[in-house]
Amino acid sequence: MPEATDAARTVMMTVDDDPAVSRAVARDLRRRYGSDHRVVRAESGASALETLRELKLRGAPVAVILADYRMPQMNGIEFLEEALDLYPGARRVLLTAYADTDAAIDAINVVDLDHYLLKPWEPPEEKLYPVVDDLLESWRATDGLAVDTTKVVGHRWSARSSQIREFLARNQVPYRWYSSEEPEGMRLLAAAGLDPRHLPLVVPPDGTVLAEPEERDLAAHVGLSTTPAADFYDLVIVGGGPAGLGAAVYGASEGLRTVLVEREATGGQAGQSSRIENYLGFPDGVSGAQLTDRARRQATKFGAELLTACKVTGLEVNGAARTLRFADGSSISAQAVILAMGVSYRQLDVPGVAELTGRGVYYGSALTAAAACQGQEVFIVGGANSAGQAAMFLARRARKVTLLVRASELAASMSFYLLQRVEDSPTICVRTDTVVEAAHGREHLEGLTLRNRVTGHSEAVDAQWMYVFIGAEPLTDWLDGTLLRDPRGFVLTGPDLSADGRPPAGWVLDRSPYHLETSVPGVFAAGDVRAESAKRVASAVGEGAMAVMLAHRYLEQS
């Protein structure tokens, strides 16, 4: 039987069917964390689940769960999968022998494993405590915060409701969802005095009633920063994807007064990825949300200021200052600017899709809607890595996932490791040479018309869920007339600014532009928004760091 616990303290749980190992893990955890946490141990998955249910009823927080892989009746992966339903925010660690490493890696895609530890873990000061320290810090920064939960009332097939949920989820704002058709949702609407036609309703912790709120107003009420603390900075970064966050970390750590402004949510497209497996330093993979959370906390630790729901509409050169104009009429200035806006998902331009977006048709992973796909068929349009990662993620819950690929094969657009996993998945079906001709439905997506590009044959299929990954395009129209871009809208930098190697027209300095510098001195571009960039997470982070180094050089010479 598991040991008794005190519901008033944060719990760390260890589960192992070997009593000696169970006691050893608990002993090492108590030695380091016993003064602040209650360490609970169990010797079977069943008894551990019983304890977790009791803790849930008492309202006790559970921060970390460590489970042995090889347990009879219920192994560690099966136990963690069930524990996920009780405590989705708890950080999950699998204890495993070296021979079971493959099973631990596979568990990443089953239970969103945070880490696995090889036995033995001695000395714990080197192999156990650093891992648990990092997991506890991550838990405290998100699930461990003692805050009231924001309430959202909406309709399952409301596009605006979907947008609000995605905004909150991507900014890691805790919220609880209520359908407008369930009793509690109706009660909240009545209490707010709102008609169900004015959805979504958002009630933040301060009790303010927000009907169909705009992101900027919503952000201000749920604790996100939307207004800069100063009028002038050393460095302004536009965009909070991997390149922008990388620049914020390096800019702030180098002592520059740094502010990052983001239109929607930090992380960019990478932040919506269910699993990034080829990023240096994460051999077991990392979700986009986890990577974003760590980068955001790292940037703020160094003193960077992060602003959300700030739409930049213009860039001006005012002497030595570079001024950014916002949609609300305000502005901010700096000595140097790094453009790291990334790219936006390309829209699927076929009949019916625009009207049904957010109501069964989604761009990107749309993780808030993924839970509703349980036991149903899901269609994914696209054949690159983002589509493959989404397919692997959705295949955990959906009855069937069908990849609709325009090309004749996947090998040209999808990484080899991911292609193998897609092909090995029993619930993923790949249809090549296939395009979507139309989407059908009234209140929500009900069907698709698909066409084979080779035979020309069209067919109608029933569908309620479609996720679109057909490439991306930069949102740089607001830079028109200010700096040079290529025909597709990507920002030109350094040697790409002119064919003959000469400085671009209007260049006023007696040197050539630096490698990541645009046609405006002191304005740099990094990551996916830059023409000829590698379009990878690692390269975007590297370019963000490099842009800071070049900005430093520019500031020293100004």
Side-chain angles (χ1 to χ4, degrees), residues 10 20 103 118 223 248 251 261 297 307 323 400 409 414 453 457 522 534:
T10 301
L118 294 177
V261 294
R297 288 189 285 117
L307 305 181
T323 302
K400 180 182 179 181
E409 60 177 15
M414 189 175 292
R453 296 175 60 246
H457 174 70

Side-chain angles (χ1 to χ4, degrees), residues 151-328:
K151 302 176 181 64
V152 180
V153 182
H155 191 276
R156 175 186 180 187
W157 300 119
S158 161
R160 188 57 183 155
S161 296
S162 297
Q163 293 168 357
I164 290 297
R165 294 178 69 186
E166 282 292 305
F167 178 82
L168 293 173
R170 291 183 60 197
N171 282 290
Q172 300 199 353
V173 176
Y175 75 92
R176 184 166 181 179
W177 165 258
Y178 299 92
S179 169
S180 59
E181 298 174 341
E182 67 177 88
E184 184 62 21
M186 294 178 182
R187 284 191 286 268
L188 287 169
L189 284 171
L194 285 183
D195 188 289
R197 292 174 296 180
H198 299 292
L199 294 175
L201 162 68
V202 181
V203 183
D206 62 8
T208 304
V209 173
L210 303 175
E212 302 177 278
E214 295 296 325
E215 277 82 355
R216 189 170 177 83
D217 192 30
L218 175 60
H221 279 89
V222 297
L224 299 175
S225 181
T226 60
T227 305
D231 295 326
F232 195 86
Y233 292 82
D234 295 324
L235 176 65
V236 173
I237 302 161
V238 185
L245 287 170
V249 168
Y250 283 94
S253 66
E254 293 287 333
L256 297 177
R257 291 172 298 169
T258 301
V259 61
L260 181 152
V261 294
E262 166 57 42
R263 183 168 57 98
E264 294 177 352
T266 50
Q269 287 190 346
Q272 295 177 278
S273 176
S274 55
R275 181 62 52 182
I276 302 170
E277 298 190 67
N278 56 356
Y279 185 61
L280 182 68
F282 291 86
D284 308 324
V286 61
S287 73
Q290 290 171 324
L291 187 61
T292 298
D293 174 58
R294 294 181 181 188
R296 183 168 46 214
R297 288 189 285 117
Q298 192 173 15
T300 54
K301 181 186 75 172
F302 285 121
E305 191 177 334
L306 305 185
L307 305 181
T308 307
C310 293
K311 183 179 180 180
V312 182
T313 58
L315 170 65
E316 300 175 0
V317 177
N318 296 310
R322 305 292 179 259
T323 302
L324 294 167
R325 300 288 179 185
F326 296 117
D328 65 354

